[in-house]
Amino acid sequence: QVSIQRSDLLAVTQLIQSMPSIPSSAGRDEALVRAVSRLGARPFGETTAGLVDAAPNWAQKEGKETRVEVEGREVRIPPTLAKILPGVLTHLVRNAVAHGVEPVASRVEAGKPEIGTIRIGASDGAKGPTITVEDDGQGLDLGRIAERAKELGVVPIAGDVAELVFADGVSTAHRGG
């Protein structure tokens, strides 16, 4: 293992990407760019480390129990994505705890294990890593989503109510008042 200054790595990457490609070596140039980019990549497991410990604490504050399972810990995440991914994953896992995983009593009543599971995974894809976050909770309450969207005057595109969860202001979180 060798330590490399991130600024040096970025400079080399930029130089390689800006080099004019000679037709006979285009494949080699692409391979070189990929290899240099991988030097700055981080293992997916680094971006999820804090979530495994934090999620059960968040759940406990809401009267729930949960655990986080991580798959693809060794998948390499490009540096630019690795910078923002922990924040994005934190948001998604907190939402899974708040809105997906049910309280223990509800889970038992539904015949589920007391402890909810949130799975975070990464896999290599042709265009880069694919990241997934899923929970074994109750799923989307499409009726409440449609009701809230109607209150806001938001109309689903192509009639897909589930897509409304991505619209500004559409939330099924309990509102005070």
Side-chain angles (χ1 to χ4, degrees):
Q1 212 171 20
V2 177
S3 294
I4 300 171
Q5 291 288 333
R6 187 168 306 279
S7 58
D8 292 340
L9 179 62
L10 291 173
V12 170
T13 302
Q14 288 172 346
L15 283 171
I16 291 171
Q17 289 173 338
S18 67
M19 289 173 34
S21 185
I22 301 168
S24 63
S25 65
R28 186 187 71 220
D29 290 350
E30 260 183 53
L32 183 58
V33 168
R34 278 195 311 272
V36 170
S37 294
R38 284 184 53 84
L39 289 174
R42 311 299 317 146
F44 180 66
E46 283 184 15
T47 64
T48 61
L51 294 173
V52 173
D53 295 328
N57 294 330
W58 298 330
Q60 186 177 30
K61 289 177 184 175
E62 297 205 24
K64 302 176 181 183
E65 290 187 41
T66 191
R67 71 170 171 260
V68 174
E69 295 177 355
V70 180
E71 299 170 2
R73 290 177 187 268
E74 297 306 315
V75 171
R76 306 296 287 182
I77 305 299
T80 52
L81 180 57
K83 284 181 185 177
I84 63 167
L85 194 55
V88 172
L89 291 175
T90 296
H91 179 77
L92 293 173
V93 170
R94 286 186 88 112
N95 275 345
V97 168
H99 305 292
V101 175
E102 311 92 334
V104 173
S106 298
R107 291 183 64 81
V108 169
E109 187 177 308
K112 295 181 178 181
E114 290 182 8
I115 300 174
T117 301
I118 300 169
R119 287 181 189 80
I120 306 172
S123 58
D124 285 316
K127 294 185 178 184
T130 298
I131 312 293
T132 58
V133 177
E134 60 185 12
D135 63 69
D136 67 350
Q138 61 198 354
L140 298 174
D141 184 339
L142 297 178
R144 285 185 65 206
I145 293 167
E147 179 184 313
R148 181 66 178 139
K150 185 176 178 182
E151 289 172 10
L152 296 170
V154 178
V155 179
I157 297 172
D160 189 358
V161 175
E163 290 294 320
L164 289 171
V165 298
F166 299 108
D168 280 342
V170 178
S171 174
T172 60
H174 295 288
R175 299 180 300 280

